[in-house]
Amino acid sequence: MPELTYREAVRDALATAMRRDEDVFVMGEDIAEMGGSMGVTQGMLAEFGPERVRNTPISEMALVGAGVGAAMQGMRPVVEVMYEDFLTLATEQLVNQAAKHRYMSGGQLKVPLTIRTQGGAGWSPGAQHAQQLEAWFVHIPGLKVVFPATPTDVRGLLLASIYDDNPVVFFEHRMLYGVKEEVPEELEPIELGKARIHREGEDVTVVAIGPLVHEALEAAEQAEGEGISVEVLDPRTLQPLDEEALIASVKKTNRCVVAHEAITRMGFGAEVAAVVQHRAFDWLDAPIERVGARFTPLPFAPVMEEWCVPHAEDVLDAIRTTVQRDGD
């Protein structure tokens, strides 16, 4: 099995789709000669040329709007939005156009558009380049939302997203690009809407997304030393959500912790907690614990940034709390 970094896995999925299908092309700011701000598309210009690896003006509304139009005309564009903070500039195109056309046309139009974007803390980018906004787009009917945590998952889920006939907002995290693991020799799509259990456990389920999957696995290792068996579940696809896998896990462990880097209030974890209490209330032995960032714009100072966003120790504290409250 080849070993790839998360960055290389994204590039492999893009290149594979473009080799298989001439209707697939990529566009975004500085993605051609420069290879994108995170180096994901480096080398692709030489293979596919400027018609299929297209630099765009610095206008997220224009480039996302162009992607919507190209998708409606039968192509499968992959638009890179340099930072997910900049999705705010293209919200009209995503929320009022891409998400609505298939429904409003009675299925006559398809919008097979993939919006790749990245963000996240861990390198002092400041308040305008590190927000985690996935929960905003989960709220919009017509959009699918994906947030892979590993090279294997980002590779297979991106390929599936490109060939989905609905618009997909595909979140990546800057601090995951260097994560490396062995991946399958053959690239196969991973079905959207299927969760992955990274670790089996008996005492508590930790539902984690993005970089918090890795923090949760670290916390689970520490908890094991304290005699606590932790199951770590990654939804991978936030919309559609694999409720069946989620509920089955909680019914097995009888406790639940939800962890993400986004701000806790109104974050994706709130929806997970609502689903669990609605469908598995009688199986819960303790209140659901939520782990997320503090309610503040992200500070630039590294020490303050570290204080604002959650880490493995925060997940471990939540695990301890829910186990200790058993029977309250």
Side-chain angles (χ1 to χ4, degrees), residues 1 9 18 36 90-91 99 101 150-151 178 182 190 233 235 257 266 274 325 327:
M1 297 175 68
M18 292 174 71
T91 303
H101 285 311
T150 69
E182 291 185 344
I190 295 173
L233 182 147
V257 172
M266 296 299 290
R325 294 179 68 171

Side-chain angles (χ1 to χ4, degrees), residues 79-92:
V79 173
E80 179 178 307
V81 173
M82 189 178 290
Y83 291 90
E84 64 187 80
D85 312 69
F86 305 162
L87 287 173
T88 56
L89 298 165
T91 303
E92 149 65 21

